[in-house]
Amino acid sequence: MTEKKDECGVKYTLDILEDRWQPRIIFWLGFRPFTIEELHQLLPELTDVALKEKITSLQNLRIVNPVVDEENKYSLTDDGNDLRNDDIWLPNFLEEQIKFMKNKNAICVCCSYSRIDEKSNEILKPVIAKKVITSKDMQAVDYVGTLTGVYDQSKYGKVYLKEELNSLLDDYAFFIDVINLEGVAYGNPKILAKYRLRKGSMTNNKKKLIKKHYLFYKNVLNQNLFKSIYSTTKWGITGFFKYYSK
């Protein structure tokens, strides 16, 4: 009985992952509830009709709550949170980031974050955001990511993920493109997010992560062999002090 249930669970997960858009909807709703309009801004390539169809499908799978809240926002069910239970925005994330962005007169900011284990216990020291992040900085180390970064599209318009990367650090490429618009982003010293470290995750699989970054520098940023090795080494050293500082 248990084996059959496990097989159903695997198929259930694969059915979701095989869809192009459902994992992305789950990803964003994992941060906080969103209205249909907000989700459409985050997923502009989806039409309104297609987005509603994807949400309805996730509701039928009991991943998204069947009823929106009093603010007409969609949220994940407990099953949905089990699928997307890694990174967390604190409730004041957007408010503080927008305030910080206005204060810096910036189009892109990121925040500091704490790190938690699989049981949500805080571990290691919080990662404090670099105060000023230039385009050159981003060419070597991914200081800004989807957990901590916010981009204001009102000045330059929408920037899209590069689908051709097939998830080869496409979020890294996205924020490189964003920061290149004005050459700088700013780091908020306030801790506004939590990053979950899981055993067996890509973050903890250092060999795969090193290879992934090397290929990104070489094939995406078109760095030569020496520069790619240098950038990978710099990223590794920075990551060592960031992730292993007690």
Side-chain angles (χ1 to χ4, degrees):
M1 183 72 175
T2 303
E3 184 178 349
K4 189 171 183 180
K5 182 178 179 182
D6 289 343
E7 288 176 357
C8 291
V10 171
K11 184 180 185 302
Y12 170 76
T13 303
L14 288 176
D15 286 344
I16 295 169
L17 293 177
E18 284 174 355
D19 185 272
R20 180 182 180 187
W21 296 107
Q22 287 181 354
R24 300 184 185 197
I25 294 170
I26 294 169
F27 171 81
W28 287 114
L29 290 179
F31 289 118
R32 68 172 179 86
F34 285 101
T35 64
I36 191 75
E37 292 79 15
E38 290 171 330
L39 283 172
H40 194 263
Q41 288 182 341
L42 295 168
L43 302 166
E45 295 177 13
L46 270 179
T47 64
D48 289 340
V49 173
L51 178 56
K52 288 177 181 177
E53 287 177 351
K54 297 298 180 185
I55 291 174
T56 299
S57 177
L58 289 171
Q59 287 175 323
N60 292 336
L61 290 168
R62 298 190 297 278
I63 298 300
V64 172
N65 281 308
V67 180
V68 296
D69 63 17
E70 62 276 5
E71 296 180 333
N72 290 320
K73 293 183 177 182
Y74 293 93
S75 60
L76 295 180
T77 63
D78 289 342
D79 287 341
N81 280 312
D82 285 341
L83 286 174
R84 176 62 179 87
N85 195 21
D86 289 323
D87 306 328
I88 302 169
W89 279 352
L90 298 187
N92 60 336
F93 175 90
L94 282 177
E95 178 186 353
E96 290 293 336
Q97 288 291 71
I98 292 171
K99 187 190 303 180
F100 183 72
M101 184 178 283
K102 289 180 178 178
N103 179 261
K104 292 293 185 180
N105 191 27
I107 63 166
C108 182
V109 298
C110 64
C111 70
S112 304
Y113 60 94
S114 61
R115 290 169 287 183
I116 57 177
D117 61 18
E118 293 170 329
K119 295 182 179 179
S120 297
N121 298 313
E122 289 197 8
I123 55 175
L124 306 176
K125 285 183 178 179
V127 176
I128 305 303
K130 184 176 172 65
K131 290 182 179 180
V132 179
I133 302 155
T134 65
S135 295
K136 185 177 180 180
D137 292 330
M138 282 294 289
Q139 291 285 328
V141 178
D142 47 347
Y143 287 105
V144 187
T146 50
L147 172 63
T148 64
V150 176
Y151 164 58
D152 179 2
Q153 65 179 20
S154 62
K155 187 174 181 180
Y156 294 100
K158 296 174 182 177
V159 177
Y160 297 97
L161 289 172
K162 292 181 170 64
E163 296 293 333
E164 65 272 18
L165 295 184
N166 293 319
S167 297
L168 177 63
L169 299 176
D170 51 358
D171 56 335
Y172 186 6
F174 171 85
F175 278 105
I176 285 177
D177 289 343
V178 166
I179 293 173
N180 280 343
L181 292 172
E182 292 197 341
V184 66
Y186 296 93
N188 190 338
K190 290 187 178 181
I191 297 171
L192 301 173
K194 297 181 180 182
Y195 178 71
R196 192 181 305 276
L197 291 170
R198 291 182 179 276
K199 294 179 181 178
S201 67
M202 174 61 79
T203 304
N204 282 326
N205 193 328
K206 301 307 175 190
K207 289 183 179 179
K208 286 185 178 180
L209 204 55
I210 289 169
K211 181 180 179 181
K212 198 172 185 181
H213 274 78
Y214 170 75
L215 291 174
F216 179 82
Y217 294 127
K218 183 175 181 291
N219 298 333
V220 179
L221 299 185
N222 297 315
Q223 296 180 358
N224 60 36
L225 177 63
F226 175 78
K227 182 67 173 177
S228 298
I229 294 173
Y230 170 80
S231 296
T232 305
T233 303
K234 183 175 180 180
W235 162 81
I237 293 172
T238 303
F240 176 84
F241 286 107
K242 180 168 72 172
Y243 287 104
Y244 293 101
S245 58
K246 299 293 183 179

